[in-house]
Amino acid sequence: MLAKVLSSSVLGVDAFIVEVEVDIRQGLPSFQTVGLPEASVKESKDRVKSAINNSGYRFPDDRITVNLAPADIKKEGTAFDLPIAVGILAATGIVPHQRLSEYLILGELSLDGRIKPVRGSLPVALAARNSRLRGIIVPKQNASEAAVVNGVEVLPAFTLGELVEFLSSLRSIRPESIDVRAIFDEALSDDVDFSEVKGQEHVKRALEVAAAGGHNVIMIGPPGAGKTMLAKCLAAILPPISFEEAIEATKIYSVIGMLKKDQGLITSRPFRAPHHTISDAGLIGGGHIPRPGEVSLAHNGVLFLDELAEFKKNVLEVLRQPMEDGHVTIARALTSITYPARFMLVAAMNPCPCGYFSDPNHECTCSYTRIHRYRSKVSGPLMDRIDIHVDVPAVPYKDLASRDDAESSASIRERVNRSRAAQSERFERTKIYCNAQMSNRQIKKYCPIDGDSHRLLEMAIDKLGLSARAFNRILKIARTIADLEEAEDIAVHHVSEAIQYRSLDRNSLFP
């Protein structure tokens, strides 16, 4: 007898429908799974057999063939345990067929019949909604994650026996519901605040501009100047993550199983800070079975690279494409997977190997050749893609000893939010969220400048040797500075401040 059960698998960060076909025929006992199953899928036969027997049902001693369609895409993971078990019970007449076409079913089975959590419940719920199915049946631990998707019924199941009774109309399962607004309201407050940072007012201003426009930023200064603390404070002034952005970020964490227990949605912008020993596959993504890297885990958030020059040069170079395109494509022999990677890069580095080049309080022990070799680890094309360059000098004693209260992150965030609101209105009905993401056509449309600004830019380009990309970035930054002042037009002082944030383009400071 033949039975069909709907399930799903994940390719990249998106799910697709998988039809689990179970055919049971008389013959020598066998259990064969076809449709490009990976090892974890092939091993499901032993889990399924034990779960069915230990749940009080009879496992058929016949020839069993399971097909996972479409058969030309690799299937991986343990989420097919439950649909295969339901398919076998349906093929033997224990489970009626009527309700099997209404729900997507996924879950891993333990040997005693309990249903264990799996990865990718959120994208699977989105696939069920897009396919206009009635609902999705998931493990109890994955229910809150899937329930953030409106328009689809999410049924949490705890055991195989409970699910069989539901499909046989012998019991009901209460759909999982979640209050998305309450989840956002319960988001944890930030541990660090700009009011705790002594001095560095010009750096705070640069980070405010970066947060307002979503611009990449690099900080250069001696050890102990506060670069790491400033980067962590930056997360506190970023605008709140929108529901659409939260869904995009949660999908990535869902498919690799990094969501915390009972966490249905990521409600704050990701902040990823990988160590400088990370490989290029760890940063960008990859592996035998492709999985997203740190740039994708930082999607719609911040990627903080501390000690930038200590990263391997080949690791840094692979950043160039996602910084421009906002996504990463990993190609394999049988498939090509694209992961989103629209992040805000925040980098920090010392000016030289010893850390004290141009520091008035310490003598630098590095030779010119050594400094040049150290800084050349960060290539010109990569530095060109970083919008804002800011020097972070050592904090003088009078600032450290000052008892004056600095401006809090909350007041800075208010200005950032007003700026982002203006940008949202400007880029309405587009897939652009901030000024940093403007294309050349949009720069031409939204960043017109007057004659004085043109002359100032011409002089800066002649003296600093700026590239066309740097020119466009100056216009984007100037647009953000104008938005912070709630100015409709870009003025010459906006352009002047934007040019100051290209300090590393000056050959005298960056040999």
Side-chain angles (χ1 to χ4, degrees):
M1 188 174 179
L2 178 66
K4 296 181 181 181
V5 180
L6 295 179
S7 188
S8 184
S9 185
V10 175
L11 185 64
V13 294
D14 296 314
F16 61 95
I17 304 297
V18 174
E19 195 173 69
V20 180
E21 301 175 317
V22 180
D23 182 66
I24 301 180
R25 300 292 177 184
Q26 290 184 348
L28 292 175
S30 66
F31 194 123
Q32 185 177 11
T33 304
V34 297
L36 290 183
E38 292 287 346
S40 58
V41 182
K42 293 179 181 179
E43 292 174 352
S44 65
K45 61 182 180 181
D46 297 316
R47 294 190 296 269
V48 168
K49 182 176 181 179
S50 296
I52 289 177
N53 288 330
N54 291 327
S55 298
Y57 307 105
R58 176 184 172 274
F59 188 84
D61 295 327
D62 295 304
R63 179 185 178 89
I64 302 174
T65 303
V66 177
N67 179 45
L68 306 177
D72 60 340
I73 302 177
K74 279 189 176 182
K75 319 297 187 310
E76 62 180 31
T78 57
F80 293 109
D81 289 6
L82 187 58
I84 290 175
V86 171
I88 291 174
L89 295 176
T92 55
I94 296 176
V95 173
H97 292 246
Q98 291 82 353
R99 308 182 76 176
L100 296 181
S101 61
E102 299 177 354
Y103 294 95
L104 280 185
I105 301 175
L106 69 156
E108 177 185 335
L109 284 173
S110 61
L111 300 185
D112 60 0
R114 288 180 294 112
I115 303 175
K116 303 177 73 174
V118 294
R119 301 176 180 178
S121 297
L122 176 59
V124 170
L126 291 169
R129 185 185 65 181
N130 295 337
S131 299
R132 300 184 182 277
L133 296 176
R134 180 176 177 180
I136 174 176
I137 299 173
V138 296
K140 176 68 177 176
Q141 294 92 325
N142 296 124
S144 58
E145 173 189 340
V148 301
V149 179
N150 293 323
V152 63
E153 193 177 71
V154 178
L155 302 179
F158 186 71
T159 65
L160 176 61
E162 174 186 322
L163 178 57
V164 170
E165 292 179 2
F166 168 76
L167 294 174
S168 303
S169 301
L170 298 177
R171 67 176 299 167
S172 61
I173 298 179
R174 183 178 179 181
E176 184 80 6
S177 62
I178 189 169
D179 188 347
V180 175
R181 184 181 296 274
I183 294 179
F184 278 95
D185 292 340
E186 293 174 2
L188 296 177
S189 59
D190 300 288
D191 295 330
V192 289
D193 194 281
F194 267 119
S195 61
E196 302 171 8
V197 180
K198 300 293 186 179
Q200 309 291 19
E201 297 303 323
H202 72 290
V203 184
K204 295 178 185 178
R205 169 63 178 178
L207 293 180
E208 178 183 343
V209 173
H215 301 287
N216 300 323
V217 59
I218 182 170
M219 297 177 286
I220 296 186
K227 300 185 295 294
T228 301
M229 185 176 183
L230 285 162
K232 293 179 178 179
C233 289
L234 174 65
I237 64 173
L238 290 174
I241 191 169
S242 67
F243 179 72
E244 292 76 16
E245 291 175 312
I247 288 289
E248 292 175 1
T250 307
K251 285 169 62 178
I252 301 171
Y253 283 75
S254 174
V255 298
I256 59 176
M258 287 186 62
L259 286 178
K260 298 177 182 178
K261 186 179 180 180
D262 297 326
Q263 182 183 17
L265 194 66
I266 291 177
T267 54
S268 58
R269 295 190 179 276
F271 184 91
R272 304 293 301 179
H275 193 259
H276 64 260
T277 56
I278 192 172
S279 65
D280 51 355
L283 186 64
I284 297 299
H288 174 65
I289 300 176
R291 59 177 282 146
E294 290 291 336
V295 296
S296 296
L297 294 174
H299 181 60
N300 290 329
V302 174
L303 177 66
F304 176 48
L305 301 184
D306 201 4
E307 304 296 344
L308 184 68
E310 299 298 335
F311 284 77
K312 296 178 182 177
K313 189 167 185 177
N314 67 300
V315 174
L316 293 179
E317 289 306 299
V318 295
L319 276 174
R320 289 156 59 175
Q321 183 259 336
M323 288 175 67
E324 283 292 312
D325 301 337
H327 63 264
V328 172
T329 300
I330 301 173
R332 292 294 181 264
L334 296 179
T335 187
S336 180
I337 298 175
T338 298
Y339 294 112
R342 187 175 57 246
F343 57 90
M344 179 179 169
L345 175 65
V346 179
M349 62 180 287
N350 295 329
C352 66
C354 77
Y356 296 111
F357 177 73
S358 72
D359 185 357
N361 300 319
H362 297 82
E363 181 180 356
C364 176
T365 60
C366 304
S367 65
Y368 176 90
T369 303
R370 193 179 175 200
I371 295 175
H372 179 75
R373 186 184 303 116
Y374 177 79
R375 294 189 176 188
S376 64
K377 292 181 180 179
V378 185
S379 67
L382 177 61
M383 192 64 70
D384 214 23
R385 287 169 167 81
I386 300 178
D387 304 353
I388 296 177
H389 311 158
V390 58
D391 295 313
V392 186
V395 183
Y397 176 77
K398 65 176 183 178
D399 289 337
L400 290 174
S402 175
R403 292 182 176 272
D404 296 336
D405 292 332
E407 188 176 20
S408 67
S409 295
S411 61
I412 298 175
R413 186 167 55 241
E414 289 181 5
R415 294 195 296 269
V416 170
N417 289 341
R418 287 197 298 268
S419 174
R420 285 291 184 104
Q423 294 169 48
S424 297
E425 184 178 350
R426 178 182 302 134
F427 304 124
E428 191 177 8
R429 298 179 182 177
T430 69
K431 293 184 179 181
I432 293 179
Y433 295 98
C434 56
N435 288 335
Q437 299 169 6
M438 283 192 291
S439 64
N440 290 337
R441 183 177 60 183
Q442 290 162 332
I443 292 174
K444 186 176 182 180
K445 180 177 180 181
Y446 298 118
C447 303
I449 54 177
D450 56 20
D452 291 339
S453 298
H454 273 295
R455 286 187 289 273
L456 179 61
L457 264 175
E458 182 181 6
M459 182 173 60
I461 290 175
D462 290 340
K463 287 189 175 182
L464 302 181
L466 300 179
S467 66
R469 182 182 287 114
F471 171 76
N472 286 338
R473 274 164 164 70
I474 288 175
L475 292 179
K476 292 179 182 180
I477 297 170
R479 178 69 267 172
T480 300
I481 296 171
D483 289 339
L484 282 170
E485 294 184 3
E486 301 183 30
E488 184 175 350
D489 299 322
I490 297 176
V492 66
H493 68 278
H494 300 146
V495 176
S496 175
E497 182 178 352
I499 293 173
Q500 294 178 22
Y501 295 135
R502 302 296 304 182
S503 63
L504 295 184
D505 291 318
R506 304 172 192 174
N507 294 330
S508 61
L509 295 181
F510 200 76

